[in-house]
Amino acid sequence: MKINRSILPSGRIGLAVSGGSDSVALAFLLTKGGKKKNTSKRFVILHVDHGLRKESKEEYKFVKSLAKRLQVPFKGCHAKVVQEKGESLEMAARRVRLQFFEKQMRIEKLDAIATGHHMDDVAETFLMRIKRASGAQGLAGIKELSTVGAIRFVRPLLGCRDAELKAYLEKYGEEWREDTSNADTDIERNRIRHTVVPFLEKHLD
């Protein structure tokens, strides 16, 4: 797998872990399964329970337990997502998540927050932006480094495929949690993931 550790700052890093395979793999890869020295000083696992699915509280417990096993501090919250005027539920959840991240950047004195975005996410985002007729800048896709307000994001797994990350976890007998909403093809990204991407892979191989 192609992991770009060169983009990671030398200071303290928050790991955004939802419990899905990509973010769990991120936590394991960067902490070397909790065996890397000084993980408790270098990393902190961040998790937001949006309270929008019945299994979200179990996912919170799973991520908290994972952090303990990796010997990394855990900072989580049970959020209440309330849509503001003109917001979709997804947009409201993102706003709440960013507010939590920004707060933790300040409290934990983080230099950046790492996410588990991977190559498949880049492809899906690109296809979504083509559909929306984004300009040249909009078609650039997900970047390794970006800033949202006071939050600096780093994405070291953009060179990895989703299947590679799952295979890595399976190799070491590690579990993750599947977000049941990922199967809902009424959501645009899921529709592209489950129909458009497989079609392109089959016919453009």
Side-chain angles (χ1 to χ4, degrees), residues 22-150:
D22 48 5
S23 61
V24 171
L26 172 78
F28 270 93
L29 287 163
L30 295 191
T31 67
K32 294 186 178 178
K35 296 177 181 178
K36 190 173 182 179
K37 293 181 179 180
N38 299 319
T39 53
S40 63
K41 294 181 180 179
R42 179 138 165 78
F43 302 106
V44 54
I45 284 180
L46 308 175
H47 176 81
V48 180
D49 167 16
H50 297 93
L52 300 176
R53 293 175 291 108
K54 61 181 182 180
E55 62 267 32
S56 66
K57 283 186 172 58
E58 190 279 331
E59 291 167 351
Y60 182 98
K61 292 177 181 177
F62 170 77
V63 176
K64 186 175 182 179
S65 176
L66 172 68
K68 183 177 181 180
R69 190 152 57 89
L70 295 179
Q71 302 179 66
V72 176
F74 172 82
K75 296 294 179 180
C77 75
H78 297 286
K80 183 177 181 181
V81 178
V82 179
Q83 290 172 255
E84 295 183 351
K85 186 176 180 180
E87 277 188 331
S88 66
L89 189 59
E90 184 180 16
M91 290 168 60
R94 181 176 184 272
R95 172 175 50 78
V96 168
R97 189 165 59 251
L98 289 175
Q99 288 172 347
F100 173 73
F101 286 163
E102 185 169 355
K103 180 180 178 180
Q104 295 306 316
M105 285 283 294
R106 184 177 64 256
I107 294 173
E108 295 296 320
K109 295 181 172 56
L110 303 176
D111 291 313
I113 293 177
T115 72
H117 288 97
H118 47 71
M119 195 182 296
D120 298 63
D121 292 318
V122 175
E124 292 162 9
T125 299
F126 182 76
L127 292 169
M128 287 169 66
R129 289 177 178 176
I130 286 179
K131 178 178 177 292
R132 295 169 187 168
S134 296
Q137 186 174 359
L139 290 175
I142 301 172
K143 298 178 181 179
E144 288 188 320
L145 302 171
S146 68
T147 301
V148 179

Side-chain angles (χ1 to χ4, degrees), residues 1-5 25 29 157 159-169:
M1 291 186 292
K2 187 179 178 182
I3 305 162
N4 189 1
R5 289 185 172 83
L29 287 163
L157 303 185
C160 304
R161 294 296 305 268
D162 177 56
E164 287 180 301
L165 298 173
K166 286 185 170 72
Y168 165 79
L169 293 176

